[in-house]
Coordinates of all heavy atoms in Angstrom, one line a residue:
Chain Z
G16 N 91.6 103.1 127.0 CA 92.3 101.9 126.8 C 93.2 101.8 125.5 O 93.4 100.8 125.0
G18 N 96.3 102.4 125.4 CA 97.5 101.8 125.7 C 98.8 102.6 125.6 O 99.9 102.1 125.7
P25 N 106.1 101.5 130.7 CA 105.6 100.2 131.2 C 105.9 100.0 132.7 O 105.2 99.2 133.4 CB 106.2 99.1 130.3 CG 107.4 99.8 129.6 CD 107.0 101.3 129.6
T47 N 114.2 109.4 138.4 CA 114.6 108.9 137.1 C 113.5 108.6 136.1 O 113.7 108.5 134.9 CB 115.5 107.7 137.2 OG1 114.8 106.7 138.0 CG2 116.9 108.0 137.8
P60 N 95.5 110.0 124.9 CA 94.6 110.6 124.0 C 93.3 111.1 124.6 O 92.6 112.0 124.0 CB 94.2 109.5 123.0 CG 94.4 108.2 123.7 CD 95.5 108.5 124.7
D69 N 104.2 117.9 144.0 CA 104.1 118.3 145.4 C 105.4 118.7 146.0 O 106.3 119.0 145.3 CB 103.4 117.2 146.2 CG 103.7 115.7 145.7 OD1 104.9 115.6 145.2 OD2 102.9 114.9 145.7

Side-chain angles (χ1 to χ4, degrees):
Chain Z
T47 52
D69 31 36

